[in-house]
Amino acid sequence: MSAEIIDGFAVAAELREKIAADAAALKASHGVVPGLAVVLVGEDPASAVYVRNKLKATAECGLKSLEFKLPASTGEEEVLALVRRLNADPAVHGILVQLPLPKQIDADKVLGLIDPDKDVDGFHPVNAGRLSVGLPGFVPCTPRGSQILIDKILPDLSGKTAVVIGRSNIVGKPMAQLLLSRNATVTIAHSRTKDLPAVCRTADVLVAAVGRPKMVKGDWIKPGAIVIDVGINRIEVDGKGKIVGDVDFDEAVEVAGAITPVPRGVGPMTIACLMLNTLDSARRSVGG
Ligand code: NAD
């Protein structure tokens, strides 16, 4: 039997519509338009595409964006000064510094300077701490989007087992915290995990956030499991570039109960959740 395909593209489009309506209501009630500042340093082509997509989504949702493009040679102090300025600007509700930064700039220093209450990427240690202890804050966009997809299928994970492959601060760890908050029994697997296939086979919810094309095979998956494929990997097939996930989709779709495709799965949810975090920030700024 073939799994249900979780249409992240459609869920994200619905979410963006709701954000646009809520942003319009906020403007009408308080005269506030959620503002997102996007800082791009250098000419990394992938980063430029990500930033373009984020700015497009901002406009579609009726949010305001401010773009700061700086040359690759920009010094650390200049970027820190910009962050300080954006922290102090009441029209800016979200600050996003696109990674990676050029090597002369200490990314931890820059991200650590962003006001945690404008940290819509959710990368600041204060927001990681808030998530960990269950306080309101910003949750990183990719896990937040993945959890929305899981919630649509199974909102209460009491008695269920979840396995997250990957322990990055951006995806794996916050994903595990969210699953825990839904009462799942959570395992975080990673590059040093012994017998990864056996660990994965225990999962009612399996989230792959590794960065290895098609690593998770069909026989790693518990029949009927929800499979969330976060991976974005560029591979060559017949001389042409193709994007695949961390899960071998063709095999997994025969075993899983529900699965996200790549593309049109988690990716669109990530951008929609950036908009959602920016809207949340603007609402909080007026006491909402
Ligand atoms: P990362 O490189 O920071 O972390 C990868 C994790 O995978 C590490 O914790 C590592 O321990 C683990 N790992 C590596 N090899 C492994 C192995 N053989 N077995 C088990 N675990 C292994 O990556 P990240 O930033 O967390 O991103 C993971 C993937 O998700 C990448 O493909 C990235 O492109 C993708 N991603 C997608 C989105 C999206 O919007 N869909 C957003 C962020 C990241």
Side-chain angles (χ1 to χ4, degrees), residues 50 142 165-172 189-193 196 208-212 215 220 229-233 246 266-268 270-271:
Y50 293 145
T142 300
I165 322 175
R167 56 175 163 183
S168 71
N169 292 331
I170 293 171
V171 189
H190 47 79
S191 54
R192 308 288 176 92
T193 297
L196 184 60
V210 184
R212 289 186 165 241
M215 184 184 82
W220 296 26
D229 190 352
V230 176
I232 298 179
N233 306 292
D246 291 339
V266 172
T270 296
I271 296 193

Side-chain angles (χ1 to χ4, degrees), residues 35-37 82-97 111 113-124 126-127 130 137-138 274 277-278 280-282 284-285:
L36 175 68
L82 175 59
V83 170
R84 274 187 213 104
R85 190 148 56 82
L86 296 172
N87 279 345
D89 185 343
V92 172
H93 303 96
I95 302 170
L96 181 155
V97 178
L111 298 184
L113 187 68
I114 294 174
D115 178 347
D117 294 329
K118 295 188 178 189
D119 168 40
V120 284
D121 257 340
F123 296 166
H124 195 289
V126 165
N127 282 314
R130 285 168 171 165
F138 293 110
L274 177 65
N277 280 351
T278 307
D280 285 349
S281 181
R284 283 180 203 147
S285 75

Side-chain angles (χ1 to χ4, degrees), residues 38-61:
V38 180
V39 179
L40 175 64
V41 188
E43 268 99 50
D44 179 61
S47 293
V49 172
Y50 293 145
V51 164
R52 208 179 316 131
N53 289 340
K54 287 167 186 174
L55 294 173
K56 191 169 153 247
T58 310
E60 277 169 16
C61 292

